[in-house]
């Protein structure tokens, strides 16, 4: 597809004509949140677009146009991947230089004025009403690094790790959209974990960390008792966002036996605002990390290229205003794909619902500069990392702003990117 | 309050005038689910009641009557505990023998016919739209018994156990109302856990178990970042249900390190249909299990009587039709109260929402006959328990029907009971 548009899409934009990600926006002139796509530095409000015959040349969508006036993507997602595909292709055809439908938008300056907003002027909202959020642990290098820290290299990975995508149920209510500040949590911690007598105190978290992850949204419900076979799992996946699974390491260390992390994770999880459709990401499918274990047939994929090669970057800006890139890696560093996670999740008959969020687990490459958490980068706070301007960090401090970015492709005119996923740390509440 | 009603409430009914639990019903004559209360062997449909001036003598509720036409209790719960209290008291006053409002229902046989249904003829539905479901582990005797099985008596309880209510995020989408069949899950298990090489297979669960629990529903949201202090936690609790946290022990044993139970729990959780209001349970508050540990101030309750003394019973009916009582205990066997669980859950700033469900954790007394799971009763399948009619069980078999009942009080005319929480095991899906 030509990457040339009659519309001004700056070179290097994450939201090229090859992308067309979906999100939820409101603006001062249209204060009710509804569905939009991002293109270049702008958002096209699809509710306004639909109301003004924007979809006049796409008969398939006409009975369903009410989905674009919803405050979440759930109704649009429910229409299914074939519909997502035609809507995306149609919007691409409306924006392409030689559009067959110039009257829809290209020569319709009135609709352009009504429906297109600079991204700077819109407010983005959580894209889905999330029923359940599950966080997996498919980043093999991360799992290994953390295992080495806590159990040594011989037992770094648990025996189950390469047989199934390890995961746990997370807290859906605290998933927030990029830009939402994150308040440092209070929680029970051990000031002296090595002491014989374990005496916890209630304290602001002292080991506040990030986890660099992807999130995938579910677009098809399965009935309770009916697993989703691996051959159909792709059909249940709407699209992908960047995710920061903020983690309180000191709270986690004390609380997590025997039932797993709880308060260490439930105070906030940030996701990027624009959901990149699975279709847009298809050209960037690659083979994930090699699994040297024979996996059970229900997890075997027909196509070995099942994880995305998204260039990921984490930047940390301190309250001094100086910013440092603390991690660069690729999302190919996963042992399990989203279809495998989804199929494993449902193998018991667990009902997935439209809008459910699956987290990938922390993504780390092999090199120190590729580690997706401070836990790994600082060996659980034993060493510090250097930032620009003579600053250093073991864990996050108040005022720190963390920005995750992700982008696919190398052609500056046809990038498929995610924008960013940002959160700033506010001081803990005084109790 | 007098327990005498002009309405026929059989002696021994769980739904006496002292109770007035809330639920969601539909019937052949009124197929849209809406809010109802249970009284004796009947349900009063509050949507029909409200539409026919049933609340004419209660001005407080009149602006809010639309809540009774909703398909869940979420909107009613959101009104807050003072409103729940006046609605319950008003309904009690409508049903009491010397009702000050005879024209509302007592002498209004037309409305009686329209709005009152035999419980046998109504279908009950999940009472809440559950945003997030969290399962705690507050049953000290259960935690101890399980700890002994897996770690021996010296280390049975983890060091954190008496300092905080251990819990984990559960799967909200698979919480179902009493009566919903539960299909035996398939999952990864180790056929030979003792083998040096851990080779899992995909199999129908062979160690399907129950967990006898209470569930509590949240009726007040806190903003993200703002914990609920223990002094206010009671205000956030709407009411209580019986809960069976079905558990796949073999799946759990293989999957649960290091992030806790996942597929072992996500295939189904059953709750009773009628939510007993916190107000109705207040007379049955007692002191829970003694905590010999000094707990942190944020978890200290003003009133030591903070858990409910509900007589609980578990019955197992096999496909032969024979039924056996396999457990009798009391819900006072908890180390932590629901207010403590809720406060701990939110201490990080985790936002709770109306309709969230908190599970107590498995409730076991000290005696073998008081153990709330087969895991404990059979020492993880090492011994079997005897049932009536020469049958025995290590874990659940297909066709087994498990019924939990719970009731407070000893006056047969003023019981505050939960009805029952039933589930029958269907064979695993052939994969
Ligand atoms: Ca994570
Ligand atoms: Ca449980
Ligand atoms: Mg998180
Ligand atoms: Mg369960
Ligand atoms: Ni609108």
């Amino acid at each position: 597809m030509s990457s040339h548009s009659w519309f001004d899409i700056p070179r290097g934009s994450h939201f090229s004509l090859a992308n067309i990600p979906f999100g939820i926006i409101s603006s001062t002139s249209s204060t009710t949140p509804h569905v939009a796509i991002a293109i270049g530095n702008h958002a096209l409000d699809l509710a306004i677009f639909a109301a003004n015959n924007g979809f006049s040349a796409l008969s398939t969508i006409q009975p369903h146009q009410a989905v674009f006036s919803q405050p979440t993507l759930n109704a649009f997602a429910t229409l299914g991947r074939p519909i997502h595909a035609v809507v995306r292709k149609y919007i691409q055809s409306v924006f392409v230089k030689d559009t067959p439908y110039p009257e829809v938008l290209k020569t319709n300056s009135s609709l352009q004025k009504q429906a297109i907003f600079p991204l700077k002027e819109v407010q983005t909202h959580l894209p889905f009403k999330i029923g359940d959020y599950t966080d997996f642990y498919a980043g093999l290098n991360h799992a290994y690094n953390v295992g080495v820290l806590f159990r040594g290299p011989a037992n770094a990975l648990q025996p189950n790790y390469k047989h199934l995508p390890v995961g746990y149920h997370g807290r859906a209510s605290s998933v927030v959209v990029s830009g939402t500040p994150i308040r440092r949590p209070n929680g029970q911690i051990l000031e002296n974990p090595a002491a014989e007598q374990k005496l916890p105190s209630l304290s602001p978290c002292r080991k506040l960390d990030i986890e660099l992850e992807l999130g995938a949204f579910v677009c098809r419900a399965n009935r309770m008792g009916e697993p989703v076979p691996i051959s159909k799992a792709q059909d249940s996946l709407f699209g992908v966002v960047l995710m920061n699974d903020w983690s309180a390491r000191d709270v986690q260390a004390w609380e997590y036996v025997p039932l797993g992390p709880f308060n260490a994770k439930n105070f906030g999880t940030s996701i990027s605002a624009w959901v990149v459709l699975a279709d847009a990401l298809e050209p960037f499918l690659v083979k994930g990390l090699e699994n040297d274990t024979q996996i059970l047939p229900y997890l075997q994929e027909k196509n070995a290229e099942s994880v995305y090669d998204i260039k990921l970057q984490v930047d940390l800006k301190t309250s001094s205003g100086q910013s440092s890139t603390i991690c660069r890696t690729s999302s190919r560093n996963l042992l399990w794909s989203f279809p495998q996670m989804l199929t494993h999740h449902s193998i018991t008959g667990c009902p997935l619902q439209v809008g459910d969020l699956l987290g990938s687990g922390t993504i780390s490459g092999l090199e120190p500069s590729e580690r997706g958490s401070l836990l790994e980068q600082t060996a659980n706070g034993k060493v510090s990392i250097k930032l620009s301007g003579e600053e250093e960090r073991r864990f996050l401090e108040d005022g720190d702003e963390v920005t995750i970015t992700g982008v696919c492709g190398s052609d500056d005119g046809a990038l498929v990117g995610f924008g960013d996923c940002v959160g700033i740390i506010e001081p803990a509440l005084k109790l």
Side-chain angles (χ1 to χ4, degrees), chain A:
Chain A
M1 187 199 56
S2 160
S3 63
H4 298 291
S5 173
W6 54 263
F7 188 70
D8 177 34
I9 305 175
R11 288 198 75 77
S13 171
H14 280 198
F15 306 137
S16 76
L17 206 50
N19 193 349
I20 315 292
F22 286 73
I24 300 293
I25 65 164
S26 62
S27 62
T28 46
S29 69
S30 179
T31 54
T32 319
H34 30 79
V35 174
I37 57 100
I39 184 154
N41 292 334
H42 291 80
L44 171 68
D45 182 317
L46 292 185
I48 300 173
F49 183 71
N52 290 276
N53 300 312
F55 288 106
S56 53
L58 185 67
S59 58
T60 339
I61 197 68
Q62 282 163 20
H64 306 297
Q65 293 193 60
V67 301
F68 299 121
S69 308
Q70 297 295 310
T72 65
L73 293 175
N74 296 59
F76 174 58
T78 304
L79 298 178
R81 287 201 47 186
I83 299 286
H84 313 155
V86 299
V87 171
R88 172 168 168 266
K89 287 213 176 88
Y90 174 72
I91 293 170
Q92 288 173 324
S93 73
V94 165
F95 276 100
V96 77
K97 186 164 279 171
D98 303 318
T99 173
Y101 320 115
E103 72 290 354
V104 166
L105 200 63
K106 183 180 179 180
T107 62
N108 186 344
S109 63
S110 145
L111 185 53
Q112 287 183 35
K113 270 182 205 138
Q114 270 185 83
I116 298 181
F117 301 87
L119 285 175
K120 280 183 199 163
E121 293 171 20
V122 301
Q123 184 175 358
T124 50
H125 302 266
L126 197 67
F128 278 89
K129 167 85 181 137
I130 301 169
D132 279 283
Y133 151 49
T134 301
D135 197 19
F136 286 88
Y137 197 51
L140 168 68
N141 300 321
H142 169 77
Y144 178 80
N145 290 340
V146 172
V148 169
L149 282 174
F150 294 117
R151 288 181 301 275
N155 303 301
L157 295 178
Q158 301 284 358
N160 58 20
Y161 189 81
K162 291 181 175 178
H163 290 282
L164 55 81
V166 169
Y168 66 101
H169 299 115
R171 180 76 196 178
S173 72
S174 57
V175 178
V176 294
V177 72
S178 174
T180 309
I182 299 294
R183 182 175 277 176
R184 179 184 301 275
N186 289 288
Q188 279 198 27
I189 65 168
L190 289 181
E191 307 210 16
N192 182 3
E196 177 65 19
Q197 219 202 342
K198 307 295 182 205
L199 276 186
S201 56
L202 179 64
S203 162
C205 170
R206 299 170 183 187
K207 291 188 168 183
L208 186 57
D209 199 358
I210 58 166
E211 292 194 338
L212 168 62
E213 305 198 24
L214 297 184
F217 281 105
V218 172
C219 63
R220 180 186 272 188
N222 62 302
R223 294 165 66 99
M224 187 159 152
E226 299 180 9
V228 181
I230 189 80
S231 61
K232 303 266 188 198
Q234 254 314 342
D235 301 345
S236 297
L237 291 165
F238 177 79
V240 174
V241 289
L242 306 173
M243 193 170 111
N244 188 345
D245 175 18
W246 307 95
S247 299
R249 302 297 179 197
D250 42 2
V251 173
Q252 187 170 355
W254 170 234
E255 76 174 358
Y256 91 107
V257 281
L259 300 178
F262 177 53
N263 274 355
K265 299 284 191 173
N266 70 14
F267 59 93
T269 303
S270 300
I271 62 172
S272 53
W274 296 99
V275 188
V276 179
L277 293 186
D279 276 334
L281 289 168
E282 222 165 57
F284 308 101
L285 282 169
V286 294
K287 209 165 169 311
L289 297 175
E290 187 71 30
N291 194 337
D292 51 17
T293 298
Q294 178 65 35
I295 61 172
L296 286 165
Y298 82 98
L299 290 172
Q300 290 171 12
E301 294 175 287
K302 213 169 160 183
N303 195 335
E305 303 192 333
S306 62
V307 308
Y308 301 114
D309 185 18
I310 305 167
K311 287 187 271 291
L312 297 168
Q313 179 171 323
V314 184
D315 289 277
L316 173 53
K317 188 167 89 177
T318 68
S319 52
S320 75
Q322 295 238 38
S323 191
S324 313
T325 298
I326 59 171
C327 172
R328 276 196 188 88
T329 189
S330 161
S331 62
R332 65 192 309 158
N333 287 296
L334 292 170
L335 187 67
W336 303 99
S337 69
F338 282 122
Q340 289 174 314
M341 297 180 219
L342 187 138
T343 289
H344 179 68
H345 200 318
S346 72
I347 189 67
T348 55
C350 179
L352 303 173
Q353 296 181 318
V354 173
D356 285 348
L357 175 63
L358 309 180
S360 63
T362 311
I363 298 168
S364 293
L366 289 170
E367 300 303 315
S369 65
E370 291 187 281
R371 294 175 180 162
S373 67
L374 293 171
L375 177 68
E376 293 163 88
Q377 294 213 356
T378 70
N380 194 16
K382 281 198 201 71
V383 298
S384 59
I385 56 166
K386 307 289 171 214
L387 306 179
S388 10
E390 306 292 299
E391 290 187 276
E392 45 184 64
R393 283 292 179 279
R394 290 166 201 263
F395 289 100
L396 296 175
E397 297 190 3
D398 293 345
D400 284 354
E401 184 179 75
V402 177
T403 300
I404 300 176
T405 49
V407 65
C408 297
S410 48
D411 172 356
D412 251 15
L415 298 179
V416 174
F418 292 78
D420 52 25
C421 175
V422 188
I424 190 168
I425 303 303
E426 294 183 337
L429 192 72
K430 288 228 166 63
L431 293 175

